[in-house]
Amino acid sequence: MAEASIVLAVEQLTKRIKRKDIIKGISFEVRAGEVFGFLGPNGAGKTTTIRMLVDLIKPTTGTISICGVPLKDKPDEALRHVGCIVENPELYPYLTGWENLEHFARMLEGIGEARIHEVVSIVGMDQRIHDKVKTYSLGMRQRLGIAQALLGRPKLLILDEPTNGLDPQGIKEMREFIRTLAAGGISVFVSSHLLSEIQLMCDRVAIISHGSVIAVGDVQELIREPEPTVAWRFEPFEPGRQTLLACDGVTAEEAETAAAGNGELRVRMSRERIPEANRRLVAAGVDVYAITVQHVTLEQLFLRLTEGETID
């Protein structure tokens, strides 16, 4: 895939509060039409970073550019390209969803009834938009908040914990909805503590710990290991174990003896060595019943990189 244009560029961003370095020189980019995940334990600096991205607080040093416009020099111009929900969407519960959108549309130049109809359709709220917000579920409030953020036709949508408090069905719907927005060309920056959802939802991810970005890149590339764990099931077990461990580039995991009673042996090896190892087992008279490559999850990678810090 050709390199997409950069919608958000963060370079060597720092924030110092009361002589304490909260953000320590972080850098990352968000490309057009991608879902970018932002992960970190409690106190890592996620919310502080988001507040700097939308100009609620000023960086100590470093630069933020949105669609090529420097936020520090031209904040109004830069923020025209941004829609944002920080924490919970701010809505008027005694008004209908439509009346809320009308209220926010008045604050934006050139946004009329046609655009309100458009964003209502985008978030799939046609049936309930004229009901009072106080009757909405949490998921519907989140959708209305996103509709509000989309009114100004942003190129970058920043969502802070968009699935927070949703039930499993609501989380699934929100994930699919965010992917649909990205498919339509909007870049979506998602801060979330649900690691499994980030893995399913995001194209790329940045992991932040103690105010520093310690990993950034394509989700699948980050979790791909050169020598993954491969679980083998075969009989008879002992001849199979000896044959497999004698193969080049195969190392037994520490749990091999515990798994022996199940007829399973877990080893570290590259995918490329699997066919040859299988041929050797068959040639040795060992019946192979299953070969399973066990991929590392984003959660496992996160815990490894952050040394087991608790995520918020």
Side-chain angles (χ1 to χ4, degrees), residues 25-152:
I26 66 173
S27 300
F28 58 85
E29 296 175 338
V30 178
R31 302 167 185 161
E34 76 172 350
V35 182
F36 187 91
F38 198 51
L39 293 173
N42 188 29
K46 300 194 305 299
T47 299
T48 300
T49 300
I50 290 174
R51 290 183 179 278
M52 287 191 284
L53 295 182
V54 295
D55 206 34
L56 291 177
I57 59 175
K58 303 293 184 184
T60 302
T61 61
T63 62
I64 300 169
S65 295
I66 302 168
C67 296
V69 180
L71 181 62
K72 180 181 178 180
D73 299 333
K74 301 178 180 179
D76 291 342
E77 183 181 342
L79 291 176
R80 284 195 194 102
H81 300 294
V82 179
C84 180
I85 302 177
V86 178
E87 297 173 348
N88 297 315
E90 297 294 332
L91 304 167
Y92 296 100
Y94 54 87
L95 298 179
T96 67
W98 182 271
E99 289 167 341
N100 268 272
L101 294 178
E102 281 186 322
H103 172 74
F104 291 112
R106 293 188 195 105
M107 305 177 192
L108 301 170
E109 185 178 344
I111 303 300
E113 188 172 312
R115 179 57 180 170
I116 297 176
H117 276 294
E118 194 174 352
V119 297
V120 168
S121 178
I122 289 171
V123 301
M125 288 192 62
D126 307 76
Q127 301 300 314
R128 296 290 308 276
I129 195 62
H130 294 292
D131 295 344
K132 290 189 184 297
V133 168
K134 65 183 178 182
T135 69
Y136 287 0
S137 67
L138 180 58
M140 291 175 63
R141 288 172 183 247
Q142 290 281 45
R143 282 179 178 258
L144 184 62
I146 291 174
Q148 171 196 328
L150 293 175
L151 280 170

Side-chain angles (χ1 to χ4, degrees), residues 201-212:
M201 184 192 308
C202 296
D203 302 298
R204 292 191 308 126
V205 65
I207 297 175
I208 182 171
S209 178
H210 299 297
S212 299

Side-chain angles (χ1 to χ4, degrees), residues 26-28 36-41 44 46 195 198 204-217 222-223 297-307 309 311:
I26 66 173
S27 300
F28 58 85
F36 187 91
F38 198 51
L39 293 173
K46 300 194 305 299
L195 290 158
I198 287 288
R204 292 191 308 126
V205 65
I207 297 175
I208 182 171
S209 178
H210 299 297
S212 299
V213 168
I214 54 177
V216 59
L222 285 175
I223 64 176
T297 65
L298 187 59
E299 181 174 10
Q300 290 168 328
L301 174 68
F302 174 87
L303 292 173
R304 184 186 306 164
L305 291 176
T306 60
E307 298 179 345
E309 289 181 72
I311 194 163

